[in-house]
Amino acid sequence: DVVIIVGMIIIFLVTRNIKSVNPHWLGKVTTFFQMAGLAAILLKQDAAVWLWNSTAALTLLSGGIYVRRGIQALAKGSL
């Protein structure tokens, strides 16, 4: 979410134009894994480490997708 917000600010400062950002399905999956990982940690489940590592990987992938979208938006001049 921080990557999206910072990206939107950068795009606005450069283009003075801003529109809504459509969520990517991987972002939704990442959110699910974040919640499941948090629950596993709170419940002290053995799967917590696996979920934590999976969540970290998904977060990086999802963030990369949003960064790529932002770069493409800057190249086009708008979002």
Side-chain angles (χ1 to χ4, degrees), residues 8-79:
M8 295 286 287
I9 291 169
I10 291 170
I11 290 170
F12 176 75
L13 291 174
V14 171
T15 66
R16 295 291 182 206
N17 186 14
I18 201 154
K19 294 182 183 177
S20 64
V21 175
N22 296 324
H24 191 273
W25 66 268
L26 188 57
K28 299 292 186 182
V29 171
T30 300
T31 301
F32 171 79
F33 269 78
Q34 289 170 345
M35 296 300 114
L38 180 60
I41 290 168
L42 291 174
L43 296 172
K44 298 180 182 178
Q45 298 295 313
D46 293 334
V49 173
W50 178 84
L51 280 168
W52 179 262
N53 292 333
S54 299
T55 300
L58 289 170
T59 300
L60 290 173
L61 288 171
S62 178
I65 289 170
Y66 286 109
V67 168
R68 183 179 52 113
R69 282 183 174 182
I71 291 169
Q72 289 172 343
L74 281 174
K76 290 180 184 178
S78 66
L79 189 62

